[in-house]
C-alpha cells in the first residue's frame, strides 16, 4: 500500500503541473485575438484547452478549464467590442464551448468509473492469485527457488498455468502444469489439481502412485454436474519431480508437458522423458502406465521448469521463442535473477504481450562450502 500511494502521488503532481498548458493556451488565444485585426477571430480555438485536459486531468479539472474557456470567450467579446457580446454569433460560440465542456466532463466521469471498476477487478484477481497460486518460497529445504507467472489476460492476473511444491521426508516434490484453455475459465481447474496435489504430495507414496491418484481426481472432478462427459475436452499437462536432499538423481514423470532444462555453466540440456504419459484427465481413456525417468542435478546447476506459454510465445507470424537457444551462455546462478532476465527477454521477444499464460520456476542446488 505505501508503494501504491507513492505511485499515485507522482501522477497527481504531474497533472497539477500539466494544467498550466491549457491555461497558457487560453491566455495566449485571448491576448492574440484582442490584438488581432477586427476581421480575425481566434475564439473558436479556445475549445482546444478543455479538449486536451482529459488526457491528464479528472472531471473537476476539465470542468474548471472549460469554465475558464467560456469566460475567456466572453472576455474577448467585451474587450474587442462590448456590443458583440450579445450578438447571435458570439452567443452561439459561447454555448457551443459550454456544451463541449459538459460533454468532456461527462466523458471523464464515465472513464474514471470504468477505471475504478477495472482496479477492483484487478484487486480481486490478485487476491485470488495469492490464494490459489502463491509464489513459491525462496528456499525449500536445501534448494533455492524462484517462480514467475505471466497471465495472457492482463486484467485477470491469473490463468490456467499452475505450480506447487511440497516437502517429503527425503526431499522436495514439485509439480508444474497447464490446464487446457486460459484466463479465468481455467482457474477452477487449476485450483482443483493444486488442492489434490497439496493433499496427497506429502504421503509416502511413489511418484507413479501420486500421478495416478491425481489423474483419477482430474477425470472425476473436472466433470461438471448435469453435463454429458465428452472425453478429451478437459485435460492438464504436467511434469512431476522428486528432488532428493542428498544430491541424488531427480525422479520425473512427464504427462505431455515440455521437458525440464538443466543449465550448467550456461549450457542448457533438455531432460526429455523416455516414455511420456498422457495429460491428466486422459489416463483412464488410455490406461496409462507411468514410467519414472531420472536425471542428475548437481550442485551449481540450475533447473528450469516452464509451461508451453514460454516455448510457444511469438510475435504474430514470427517463429516460436527458442528457449534453449536464448538461455545458452547465461551465467546467472541465482534463480531469481535468472527468471528476471528470462521474463524480460521473453516479453521483448513477443513485443510485450503473451497470447497464452506462462509459468516459470528456476531451482538451484547450492554448492556446499568447501566443495571443489
Amino acid at each position: 500500500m505505501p508503494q501504491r500511494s507513492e505511485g499515485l502521488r507522482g501522477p497527481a503532481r504531474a497533472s497539477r503541473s500539466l494544467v498550466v498548458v491549457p491555461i497558457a493556451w487560453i491566455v495566449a488565444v485571448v491576448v492574440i485575438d484582442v490584438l488581432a485585426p477586427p476581421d480575425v477571430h481566434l475564439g473558436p480555438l479556445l475549445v482546444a484547452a478543455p479538449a486536451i485536459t482529459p488526457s491528464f486531468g479528472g472531471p473537476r479539472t476539465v470542468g474548471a478549464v472549460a469554465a475558464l474557456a467560456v469566460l475567456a470567450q466572453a472576455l474577448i467579446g467585451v474587450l474587442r467590442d462590448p456590443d458583440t457580446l450579445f450578438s447571435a454569433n458570439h452567443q452561439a460560440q459561447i454555448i457551443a464551448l459550454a456544451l463541449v465542456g459538459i460533454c468532456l466532463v461527462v466523458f471523464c466521469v464515465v472513464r474514471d468509473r470504468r477505471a475504478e471498476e477495472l482496479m477492483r477487478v484487478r484487486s480481486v484477481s490478485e487476491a485470488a492469485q495469492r490464494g490459489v497460486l502463491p509464489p513459491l518460497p525462496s528456499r525449500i529445504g536445501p534448494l533455492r527457488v524462484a517462480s514467475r507467472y505471466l497471465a495472457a489476460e492482463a486484467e485477470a492476473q491469473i490463468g490456467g498455468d499452475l505450480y506447487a511444491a511440497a516437502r517429503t521426508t527425503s526431499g522436495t516434490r514439485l509439480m508444474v502444469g497447464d490446464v487446457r484453455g486460459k484466463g479465468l475459465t481455467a482457474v477452477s481447474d487449476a485450483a482443483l489439481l493444486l488442492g489434490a496435489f497439496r493433499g496427497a504430495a506429502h504421503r509416502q507414496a511413489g511418484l507413479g502412485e501420486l500421478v495416478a491418484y491425481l489423474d483419477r481426481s482430474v477425470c472425476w472432478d473436472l466433470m461438471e454436474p448435469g453435463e454429458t462427459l465428452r472425453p478429451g475436452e478437459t485435460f492438464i499437462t504436467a511434469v512431476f519431480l522428486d528432488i532428493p536432499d542428498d544430491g541424488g538423481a531427480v525422479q520425473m514423470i512427464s504427462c505431455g508437458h515440455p521437458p525440464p532444462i538443466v543449465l550448467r555453466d550456461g549450457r542448457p540440456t533438455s531432460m526429455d522423458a523416455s516414455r511420456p504419459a498422457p495429460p491428466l484427465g486422459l489416463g483412464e481413456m488410455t490406461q496409462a502406465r507411468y514410467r519414472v525417468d531420472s536425471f542428475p542435478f548437481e550442485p551449481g546447476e540450475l533447473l528450469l521448469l516452464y509451461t508451453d506459454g514460454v516455448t510457444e510465445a511469438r510475435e504474430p507470424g514470427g517463429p516460436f521463442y527458442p528457449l534453449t537457444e536464448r538461455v545458452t551462455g547465461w551465467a546467472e546462478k541465482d534463480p531469481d535473477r535468472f527468471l528476471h532476465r528470462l521474463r524480460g527477454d521473453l516479453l521483448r521477444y513477443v513485443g510485450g504481450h503473451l497470447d497464452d499464460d506462462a509459468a516459470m520456476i528456476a531451482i538451484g542446488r547450492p554448492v556446499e562450502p568447501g566443495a571443489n
Side-chain angles (χ1 to χ4, degrees):
M1 288 299 294
Q3 293 179 353
R4 181 172 294 183
S5 298
E6 289 294 332
L8 291 176
R9 283 197 290 268
R13 287 193 292 266
S15 298
R16 287 194 293 270
S17 61
L18 287 174
V19 77
V20 175
V21 175
I23 293 176
W25 177 262
I26 292 173
V27 173
V29 170
V30 170
V31 172
I32 296 174
D33 196 305
V34 171
L35 298 179
D39 58 334
V40 176
H41 300 282
L42 301 180
L45 295 178
L46 290 170
V47 73
I52 65 173
T53 307
S55 62
F56 57 83
R60 293 184 179 180
T61 304
V62 173
V65 172
L68 185 60
V70 171
L71 292 177
Q73 182 70 49
L75 180 61
I76 289 174
V78 171
L79 294 178
R80 294 196 62 166
D81 187 354
D83 295 335
T84 63
L85 176 62
F86 301 102
S87 67
N89 181 50
H90 205 79
Q91 290 180 12
Q93 293 183 22
I94 293 176
I95 293 173
L97 191 56
L99 289 176
V100 169
I102 293 172
C103 291
L104 290 171
V105 170
V106 173
F107 163 77
C108 288
V109 170
V110 174
R111 179 198 62 185
D112 290 355
R113 286 181 179 176
R114 290 181 64 86
E116 291 175 1
E117 292 175 359
L118 180 58
M119 185 176 296
R120 287 194 293 268
V121 170
R122 287 179 173 173
S123 298
V124 171
S125 65
E126 289 172 1
Q129 184 180 39
R130 289 191 296 269
V132 176
L133 194 67
L136 295 177
S138 59
R139 293 196 72 93
I140 304 178
L143 305 175
R144 293 180 298 168
V145 181
S147 58
R148 295 288 189 277
Y149 191 99
L150 301 175
E153 297 182 14
E155 293 79 7
Q157 301 293 322
I158 186 171
D161 289 8
L162 55 102
Y163 49 77
R167 288 288 293 162
T168 65
T169 56
S170 60
T172 300
R173 186 163 280 177
L174 281 160
M175 172 189 68
V176 176
D178 184 2
V179 180
R180 178 181 180 270
K182 64 181 180 179
L184 294 176
T185 57
V187 174
S188 61
D189 296 345
L192 183 150
L193 181 58
L194 287 168
F197 175 83
R198 289 164 181 161
H202 67 281
R203 299 175 183 172
Q204 300 304 313
L207 198 59
E209 297 175 21
L210 171 64
V211 177
Y213 167 79
L214 295 177
D215 180 69
R216 290 193 299 269
S217 299
V218 172
C219 286
W220 286 102
D221 293 338
L222 290 185
M223 292 191 310
E224 294 292 339
E227 291 187 0
T228 303
L229 177 61
R230 287 174 287 185
E233 292 248 336
T234 301
F235 58 85
I236 304 173
T237 67
V239 62
F240 300 87
L241 301 179
D242 266 341
I243 306 177
D245 290 343
D246 60 10
V250 176
Q251 292 187 326
M252 175 184 73
I253 292 180
S254 177
C255 299
H257 200 77
I261 294 176
V262 175
L263 294 101
R264 183 171 185 84
D265 298 329
R267 297 190 303 271
T269 303
S270 295
M271 299 301 166
D272 297 291
S274 59
R275 191 180 301 169
L280 300 178
L282 304 180
E284 290 191 353
M285 297 171 54
T286 60
Q287 298 181 346
R289 294 182 180 180
Y290 298 103
R291 178 184 177 88
V292 179
D293 294 287
S294 62
F295 59 86
F297 179 38
E298 303 295 336
E301 295 180 342
L302 204 64
L303 176 60
L304 176 63
L305 306 175
Y306 54 95
T307 60
D308 61 8
V310 176
T311 52
E312 295 182 2
R314 61 177 177 177
E315 288 184 317
F320 290 121
Y321 182 74
L323 177 59
T324 56
E325 177 184 328
R326 302 286 288 196
V327 302
T328 298
W330 289 11
E332 284 79 5
K333 299 288 186 180
D334 180 70
D336 190 69
R337 291 182 180 178
F338 180 86
L339 286 191
H340 179 77
R341 181 175 178 180
L342 178 58
R343 177 185 180 276
D345 186 69
L346 176 64
L347 292 177
R348 284 192 299 271
Y349 185 86
V350 299
H353 176 73
L354 295 173
D355 293 328
D356 194 7
D357 305 318
M360 301 170 281
I361 298 177
I363 306 157
R365 191 191 291 276
V367 178
E368 297 180 2
N372 294 329

